[in-house]
Amino acid sequence: MPEKVLVTREIPQAGFGPLEGFDVTVLSEAPPERGELLGAARGAEGVLSTVTEKIDGEFMDAAGEGLKVVANMAVGYDNVDVVAARERGIVVTNTPGVLDETTADVAFMLLLAAARRLGESERVLRSGRWEWWGPKLFTGPDVWGKRLGIVGLGRIGQAVARRARGFGMEIVYHNRSRKPEAEEELGARYLELDELLRTADFVSIHTPLTDETHHLIGAEELEKMRPRAVLVNTSRGPVVDEAALADALVQGRIFAAGLDVYEEEPKVHPKLLDLENAVLAPHIGSGSIETRDKMATLAAENLAAVLRGEAPKTPIKS
Ligand code: NAP
């Protein structure tokens, strides 16, 4: 009997290649309701999940004792209870490395758009309210030559730093551990978070969401930032206190923000929605056609490897 595999969302076709030979059930394009997800889990030996599914102990128990692997189609795995998985002997895998450049593109896109007021000015143009070119119209801070502070200089953070070098930016970073190789390669200088926030013109967040990084950027941290600073978050929503950020933007305490992720996706803090100085993307960081193919393929390869009794390429070490 082929092993039962549950794919929790419709994924790119490329992801089904490695799943050939398994008994595959695919749920819908939209995120499944919790009850549907738990019902569909029953009897699954492998689950290919995405960031929208909460894969916790309840889910694992609903699947039953046969569940061997949860292959998350994302590098972040804050949606998976890795402790509950370990207790049950379930392997968890993620998709690191295949999405770095694509996600860094979106971080840099948001950085540029927020600084140079693309969202706001495009809305004016589209609504027919653009009347003339003006010497002071839609001006924002320069990006080139400025100081970029990267919080979390891992794979994606370093890919952002490489882009910033092309813009002649000075790169400073804060990270849990020092990164001597990256310092050498990127000319990046380590700073304590406090000094980074006080001196950077742009702050881009690239840590995972953990207990330590929850609300890493809150009211106090925003207060330290420069009045013309721009904050970019493509990591996970809860790393930034969204209400505090909205207040800082309303009060003009920082210049602008570019966000791809939110605390309660798909809900966005209502104050942010009304702000001209917030550029808001709907969690599209890894969303290039090529990268989503690679993510789906890697997740499926990991899942298939575990079910065949082989070592997966990218297991989560917890
Ligand atoms: P990574 O290579 O593991 O890099 C994360 C970095 O954050 C590491 O250098 C890590 O330090 C550092 N870090 C962890 N905890 C920290 C803390 N408390 N304070 C300071 N630094 C800390 O991960 P990645 O592949 O770059 O991905 C980063 C995150 O981006 C993912 O976890 C995911 O949530 C998010 N992401 C979002 C999208 C999107 O669509 N918007 C797409 C992909 C990824 P150490 O080196 O000391 O561990």
Side-chain angles (χ1 to χ4, degrees):
M1 281 275 280
E3 285 102 331
K4 281 185 75 173
V5 167
L6 173 67
V7 179
T8 59
R9 306 281 301 277
E10 281 179 17
I11 59 168
Q13 194 55 36
F16 291 106
L19 299 181
E20 258 174 49
F22 295 112
D23 174 7
V24 180
T25 301
V26 185
L27 298 185
S28 47
E29 188 178 0
E33 297 287 341
R34 182 74 180 167
E36 185 193 358
L37 181 69
L38 294 181
R42 203 165 303 129
E45 285 151 272
V47 172
L48 195 156
S49 55
T50 77
V51 294
T52 52
E53 287 78 60
K54 194 171 177 199
I55 308 296
D56 54 6
E58 183 189 26
F59 174 91
M60 294 168 198
D61 291 340
E65 287 183 356
L67 182 60
K68 295 187 185 69
V69 55
V70 171
N72 210 39
M73 193 185 129
V75 63
Y77 49 87
D78 45 281
N79 61 308
V80 181
D81 185 339
V82 290
V83 175
R86 191 176 52 219
E87 284 166 359
R88 291 163 177 79
I90 298 165
V91 177
V92 180
T93 66
N94 64 344
T95 61
V98 296
L99 43 65
D100 306 345
E101 304 297 335
T102 301
T103 307
D105 280 349
V106 166
F108 222 82
M109 172 184 86
L110 289 170
L111 185 154
L112 286 166
R116 301 299 304 275
R117 301 171 63 171
L118 180 65
E120 174 188 1
S121 54
E122 202 208 11
R123 278 188 292 277
V124 167
L125 181 150
R126 282 181 187 273
S127 64
R129 288 178 288 133
W130 183 37
E131 293 174 9
W132 24 252
W133 178 91
K136 295 197 292 182
L137 199 60
F138 300 127
T139 55
D142 264 326
V143 170
W144 70 275
K146 292 288 182 68
R147 177 181 281 196
L148 170 64
I150 295 181
V151 181
L153 194 69
R155 287 171 294 248
I156 298 170
Q158 290 178 36
V160 171
R162 287 194 290 277
R163 282 153 180 74
R165 274 169 66 98
F167 280 73
M169 297 180 93
E170 177 198 354
I171 298 154
V172 296
Y173 79 99
H174 177 75
N175 198 69
R176 186 167 56 176
S177 57
R178 287 285 288 265
K179 302 275 175 180
E181 279 169 28
E183 288 182 21
E184 179 123 347
E185 186 197 325
L186 303 162
R189 197 152 56 83
Y190 179 85
L191 293 181
E192 289 303 330
L193 185 58
D194 184 80
E195 193 181 350
L196 182 149
L197 294 170
R198 287 185 194 284
T199 62
D201 300 297
F202 295 87
V203 175
S204 193
I205 313 292
H206 300 286
T207 65
L209 171 61
T210 62
D211 290 345
E212 256 177 58
T213 62
H214 184 266
H215 284 190
L216 183 68
I217 305 297
E220 229 177 275
E221 289 71 28
L222 290 160
E223 195 65 49
K224 293 174 186 169
M225 290 175 65
R226 309 183 69 177
R228 277 203 194 154
V230 172
L231 178 74
V232 175
N233 186 17
T234 56
S235 64
R236 284 288 182 265
V239 177
V240 174
D241 180 339
E242 214 164 280
L245 173 62
D247 285 343
L249 289 167
V250 168
Q251 291 157 16
R253 281 190 273 118
I254 63 171
F255 185 79
L259 305 176
D260 187 44
V261 287
Y262 306 88
E263 284 202 62
E264 289 179 45
E265 295 178 13
K267 275 192 240 155
V268 177
H269 196 287
K271 272 192 194 168
L272 286 177
L273 292 172
D274 287 338
L275 281 169
E276 291 295 359
N277 56 349
V279 179
L280 308 174
H283 202 150
I284 56 172
S286 66
S288 74
I289 297 163
E290 296 89 339
T291 291
R292 287 285 162 82
D293 279 355
K294 287 182 195 155
M295 291 165 69
T297 303
L298 178 55
E301 285 172 349
N302 280 330
L303 185 151
V306 175
L307 292 190
R308 293 202 182 95
E310 296 160 13
K313 280 188 186 161
T314 51
I316 285 162
K317 296 169 192 88
S318 62

